[in-house]
Amino acid sequence: MTEQPRPPVARRGRISRAAPLLGAAGRTAGEAVVASLRGGRGAEFHGRAAERYAQRLGRSKGVLMKAGQLMSFAGFGPAMEGEYAHVYRAALSRLQDDAPPMPYPMAAGMVAVELGAPPEELFAAFDREPLAAASIGQVHAATLRDGRRVAVKIQYPGVEEAIRADLSNTELLVSFFSLARSMIPSMTRMDMRALAREAAERIGEELDYRAEAAHQAEFAEIYRGHPFIRVPDVVPELCSDRVLTMELAEGMRWSRALTADAGLRDRWGEAVYRFTLGSLRRLGLFHADPHPGNYLFHEDGTVTFLDFGCVKRFAPHQIRQIRAMVTAAVDDDPAAFAGALHDAGLVTSDGDGAPGPADLLAWFRATLHSVVGPQPHTYGPEQSARTMQTAFSVSGEHGPVLRRVSLPPDFLFLTRIEMGMNAVLGELRCTGPWLDVLNEWDRNGPPATPYGELDQTFWKERHDGRSIS
């Protein structure tokens, strides 16, 4: 077979990969001095700086772009501080957009190499234009010989090699997160190397399409027949390390879903809430990429969940610790909360000035606005952003606590995922009795809604009320 040209991917040299980002950071620091001396041109300067960061992360076509995406959609954007923080948030949000696709001959070549034959021989039909293109691969619609419509995700040639090289360079991600820390003061006490290792593990998993297929197949089997949660089936015989074939799911995309009537948005929001937090409570599994592009919405109130490249697992003892912390926070019990927090290793309390139980509880409750306030509660984007700013700003009310709290990587990603979910529900502006839904899992409470009745029936009939803890 004639070798196909490779699409542009990240440069492979460790120094050359880090240089553009570090160079941008250096120029920004220097230009800040100039801008401050000139006066009155701060917005222009920060606009240019934000564009540079977004361009360098976007062009990296791999690990830096994925790291940037980790920080973008509601992960930590609202926690950025300073007069021009909104400029940087806007630039990071652009990393959520589709990337330029690779040419069809290149995509077809990857299918042939990975599956042993070109698309025209393996499929009854194969669309030349991709449905979507992202940082690691792109998706094409196709039809199987038996008539089933499928989606075929194809990894860019060369991207795994480039990203693996980057992931072996701890300093690259450490530098990135250190840059993020300069914009997000609440990250001050985080161990950048531990955070880099956790991010590397999550990003590395996304390169292995067989692992993603296994994750998706696991979720699809667990939720098979669920009344309002859908997960597309995988076609294992047409999967490889770099090609993933699954049932084609069609539904309403994010921009259209936001215009639906309130009742429908409430049902979608509850489906997202129950899938995200219910999977954690029952299974110790987190669909660890809470991004609007990973959901398809349906007129019957159901939601399809996509992209299982990043799945986070929690051990039973961690789930018990999470439940204990949340229960103590809901009950407004400082002693119980402090004990649960210390048991989980989430705070350093030695020395003068250590936060007391009441301070710790007040900080944590600030992140749980949907369950500690009046019920039913309506999510909103303004409130989600305000929660991040209140709970994770070292210059705000809870600054003294944040300066003493130690956040291990597991908890950091748990926070990011939950805040990402909050942002999705905030954009949907959905209303629900979220505390009662939470109590279904944490206190064996009765079904809080019609969806709760359907959900409990499903778990009892199909999985005998399955729970890992």
Side-chain angles (χ1 to χ4, degrees):
M1 177 182 295
T2 302
E3 183 178 354
Q4 299 289 345
R6 290 183 174 183
V9 296
R11 287 181 289 173
R12 293 168 174 75
R14 293 185 180 184
I15 295 177
S16 66
R17 293 280 289 127
L21 184 64
L22 299 179
R27 283 193 300 277
T28 299
E31 289 176 12
V33 177
V34 175
S36 65
L37 291 174
R38 290 178 177 174
R41 300 183 64 181
E44 179 183 349
F45 152 70
H46 284 284
R48 291 198 310 271
E51 281 301 307
R52 273 203 300 274
Y53 291 133
Q55 288 170 10
R56 277 156 178 76
L57 291 172
R59 283 203 301 267
S60 70
K61 201 76 167 180
V63 68
L64 290 179
M65 184 175 182
K66 294 304 297 182
Q69 288 172 340
L70 288 178
M71 306 299 295
S72 60
F73 181 80
F76 295 99
M80 290 182 176
E81 295 188 345
E83 183 180 357
Y84 302 106
H86 66 284
V87 177
Y88 291 92
R89 285 195 293 269
L92 275 178
S93 70
R94 291 174 48 232
L95 296 175
Q96 301 161 29
D97 298 336
D98 286 348
M102 61 179 158
Y104 175 73
M106 194 173 294
M110 281 294 289
V111 171
V113 169
E114 289 293 311
L115 301 181
E120 292 75 16
E121 295 181 18
L122 296 171
F123 301 89
F126 193 94
D127 293 358
R128 296 178 68 90
E129 294 296 321
L131 292 173
S135 57
I136 290 176
Q138 65 190 42
V139 181
H140 290 256
T143 305
L144 300 182
R145 297 295 179 185
D146 62 10
R148 284 180 293 165
R149 290 285 285 167
V150 293
V152 184
K153 184 155 73 168
I154 307 167
Q155 193 173 111
Y156 300 125
V159 75
E160 180 179 11
E161 178 186 2
I163 292 180
R164 294 289 185 199
D166 284 346
L167 293 181
S168 68
N169 177 14
T170 305
E171 293 305 318
L172 183 64
L173 281 174
V174 170
S175 297
F176 171 80
F177 285 115
S178 295
L179 173 64
R181 181 168 59 182
S182 71
M183 291 185 283
I184 305 173
S186 59
M187 294 177 67
T188 299
R189 283 188 54 82
M190 294 177 189
D191 184 336
M192 293 297 103
R193 291 189 180 276
L195 179 56
R197 287 193 297 270
E198 176 73 12
E201 184 177 344
R202 300 281 78 78
I203 294 170
E205 287 176 354
E206 295 192 49
L207 294 170
D208 186 349
Y209 282 6
R210 287 193 188 277
E212 180 176 348
H215 290 153
Q216 183 166 331
E218 181 179 9
F219 273 93
E221 181 58 31
I222 290 171
Y223 282 99
R224 190 176 308 283
H226 194 278
F228 52 84
I229 293 170
R230 303 180 186 178
V231 179
D233 277 321
V234 171
V235 183
E237 64 271 21
L238 291 173
C239 293
S240 73
D241 293 343
R242 299 175 183 84
V243 174
L244 171 57
T245 303
M246 72 195 82
E247 172 191 5
L248 178 64
E250 296 181 297
M252 196 180 303
R253 289 289 181 177
W254 181 244
S255 58
R256 184 181 166 202
L258 294 179
T259 66
D261 67 77
L264 193 52
R265 285 185 281 109
D266 289 346
R267 293 163 66 192
W268 289 335
E270 186 176 345
V272 171
Y273 189 91
R274 288 183 178 276
F275 177 74
T276 304
L277 298 185
S279 295
L280 172 69
R281 294 309 205 280
R282 293 184 183 278
L283 311 169
L285 289 174
F286 241 146
H287 176 254
D289 195 0
H291 185 285
N294 293 337
Y295 309 129
L296 293 175
F297 302 91
H298 308 281
E299 295 283 358
D300 62 357
T302 63
V303 178
T304 294
F305 295 86
L306 307 171
D307 198 340
F308 292 82
C310 188
V311 170
K312 177 70 177 172
R313 296 179 185 271
F314 288 84
H317 76 275
Q318 291 176 304
I319 302 304
R320 289 191 290 272
Q321 290 167 347
I322 292 168
R323 281 177 161 168
M325 287 188 288
V326 172
T327 298
V330 169
D331 291 345
D332 203 7
D333 186 337
F337 177 72
L341 203 61
H342 284 287
D343 288 344
L346 296 180
V347 65
T348 300
S349 60
D350 297 331
D352 295 336
D359 295 327
L360 292 169
L361 180 60
W363 164 68
F364 194 68
R365 282 172 61 88
T367 71
L368 300 175
H369 59 82
S370 65
V371 294
V372 300
Q375 302 290 309
H377 171 83
T378 299
Y379 279 94
E382 301 84 2
Q383 187 172 43
S384 295
R386 192 162 55 249
T387 297
M388 282 293 292
Q389 291 166 346
T390 299
F392 296 99
S393 170
V394 294
S395 62
E397 176 185 355
H398 303 289
V401 173
L402 286 170
R403 283 188 283 271
R404 298 302 296 263
V405 169
S406 176
L407 295 177
D410 276 349
F411 188 78
L412 174 67
F413 274 79
L414 176 67
T415 301
R416 173 194 166 263
I417 294 162
E418 187 156 357
M419 287 301 169
M421 180 200 71
N422 287 350
V424 169
L425 301 184
E427 292 294 333
L428 284 173
R429 298 181 183 274
C430 53
T431 301
W434 311 112
L435 176 58
D436 289 339
V437 175
L438 192 69
N439 286 338
E440 291 180 29
W441 306 314
D442 291 355
R443 303 181 196 258
N444 296 315
T449 65
Y451 266 12
E453 295 176 0
L454 293 171
D455 191 49
Q456 286 200 9
T457 298
F458 169 82
W459 288 101
K460 288 177 181 177
E461 293 182 351
R462 181 166 173 80
H463 296 293
D464 296 323
R466 178 176 177 178
S467 176
I468 70 164
S469 55

